[in-house]
Amino acid sequence: MNQTPEWELHPMLVREALPVGDLALSRLLAARDAGYPWLMLVPRRVGVSEIFELGVAEQAALIGEISQVSMALKALTNCDKINVGNIGIVVPQLHVHVVARHRGDPAWPRGMWGAAPPKAYEPGVLEKFVEDMRKALNLK
Amino acid sequence: MNQTPEWELHPMLVREALPVGDLALSRLLAARDAGYPWLMLVPRRVGVSEIFELGVAEQAALIGEISQVSMALKALTNCDKINVGNIGIVVPQLHVHVVARHRGDPAWPRGMWGAAPPKAYEPGVLEKFVEDMRKALNLK
């Protein structure tokens, strides 16, 4: 029997981020990098690496979730700019970064991807950020 | 009389890219950087810096254009991954990068934003790329 494989979060994303919760399409994660308030949206679809591999309705859902998460992140952090991006070379499972940028942050005004190694969070700080994002997005 | 200002391409984008053509929402540009086949989508909307500042239908149009352009770029370049991103700190006018990545390119496997200064094209090469993209997308 052919069985559709179940979606599972890529092991590198399990290691490098904490789960925030599930939106309609995507799992929302918070990256273990204290350099920036850094979220990731991972559509719960098997075998998808590129945005164009999603269906049209899923693409619309994804950009809706990007917007929803961006607005909540901006309200929470009072950041100067939201950065959004999909690189996906090291981790092939489609994931979209949504990152709060502040004037004078380590990579300002450039992209923060690969600009510096991840910085460790002080105990409890990432967990507090995850809790604040859950509240902002009404996630359990 | 209040007049709605007309949309104009940001002067830095005029300098740093060649126009490919206009899709329904966005102007498509090709960046003057021979390091990567590098396109940009610029929604023709005044005063928009963040994806969430577009209306819901415009957001869906934007991700549709990202997909359309990504597929054409992948078919043309036979790349290994498409990178998509909005940073928008130096140039505040909303623009989304759509870049063809090849195994072993200068920034592989990291993001190419800020990884190296732009590399000059040999004469005619960028113009040929623009022409090929126009054909692939049925643009005049």
Side-chain angles (χ1 to χ4, degrees):
Chain A
M1 289 188 302
N2 286 320
Q3 293 227 344
T4 305
E6 269 187 51
W7 180 85
E8 282 184 15
L9 189 62
H10 190 285
M12 280 189 68
L13 296 178
V14 173
R15 274 201 302 279
E16 295 177 0
L18 283 186
V20 179
D22 279 1
L23 303 173
L25 175 68
S26 310
R27 180 154 303 167
L28 182 63
L29 308 175
R32 298 183 186 276
D33 182 349
Y36 319 84
W38 190 317
L39 299 167
M40 289 180 274
L41 282 163
V42 193
R44 297 188 303 279
R45 293 293 179 269
V46 174
V48 171
S49 290
E50 300 278 11
I51 291 168
F52 61 74
E53 293 168 352
L54 295 170
V56 170
E58 290 171 332
Q59 291 177 23
L62 177 59
I63 200 163
E65 293 179 353
I66 289 168
S67 289
Q68 181 189 3
V69 164
S70 296
M71 284 188 285
L73 183 60
K74 185 174 167 75
L76 185 64
T77 63
N78 196 28
C79 64
D80 297 298
K81 184 74 183 70
I82 295 290
N83 281 185
V84 175
N86 164 243
I87 301 171
I89 294 171
V90 178
V91 175
Q93 182 175 62
L94 178 62
H95 59 289
V96 177
H97 303 271
V98 180
V99 184
R101 302 296 308 275
H102 289 87
R103 212 170 295 278
D105 73 24
W108 189 271
R110 303 285 159 199
M112 69 290 137
W113 292 282
K119 201 176 131 193
Y121 269 104
E122 296 297 318
V125 175
L126 180 57
E127 289 74 11
K128 171 72 166 57
F129 173 54
V130 165
E131 202 45 56
D132 289 345
M133 283 304 305
R134 274 181 194 147
K135 277 183 196 148
L137 294 164
N138 286 314
L139 292 169
K140 276 188 297 275
Chain B
M1 286 191 304
N2 287 321
Q3 294 228 341
T4 305
E6 268 186 52
W7 179 85
E8 284 184 13
L9 189 62
H10 190 285
M12 280 188 67
L13 296 178
V14 172
R15 274 201 303 279
E16 295 177 1
L18 283 185
V20 179
D22 280 1
L23 304 175
L25 175 67
S26 310
R27 180 155 301 166
L28 182 63
L29 308 175
R32 296 182 187 278
D33 183 349
Y36 317 85
W38 189 318
L39 300 167
M40 288 180 274
L41 282 164
V42 193
R44 295 188 305 281
R45 293 294 179 269
V46 174
V48 171
S49 289
E50 300 278 12
I51 291 168
F52 62 74
E53 293 167 353
L54 295 170
V56 170
E58 290 170 334
Q59 291 177 23
L62 177 58
I63 200 162
E65 292 180 353
I66 289 169
S67 289
Q68 181 190 3
V69 164
S70 296
M71 284 188 285
L73 183 60
K74 185 175 168 76
L76 185 63
T77 64
N78 195 27
C79 63
D80 296 297
K81 184 70 183 73
I82 295 291
N83 281 184
V84 175
N86 164 243
I87 302 171
I89 293 171
V90 178
V91 175
Q93 182 174 64
L94 178 61
H95 58 289
V96 176
H97 304 272
V98 180
V99 183
R101 302 296 308 276
H102 290 86
R103 213 170 294 276
D105 72 25
W108 188 272
R110 303 285 158 197
M112 69 289 137
W113 291 282
K119 202 177 131 192
Y121 269 105
E122 296 297 317
V125 176
L126 181 57
E127 291 73 10
K128 171 74 164 57
F129 173 55
V130 166
E131 203 45 57
D132 289 344
M133 283 304 306
R134 274 182 194 145
K135 277 183 198 147
L137 293 165
N138 287 314
L139 293 168
K140 274 188 299 274

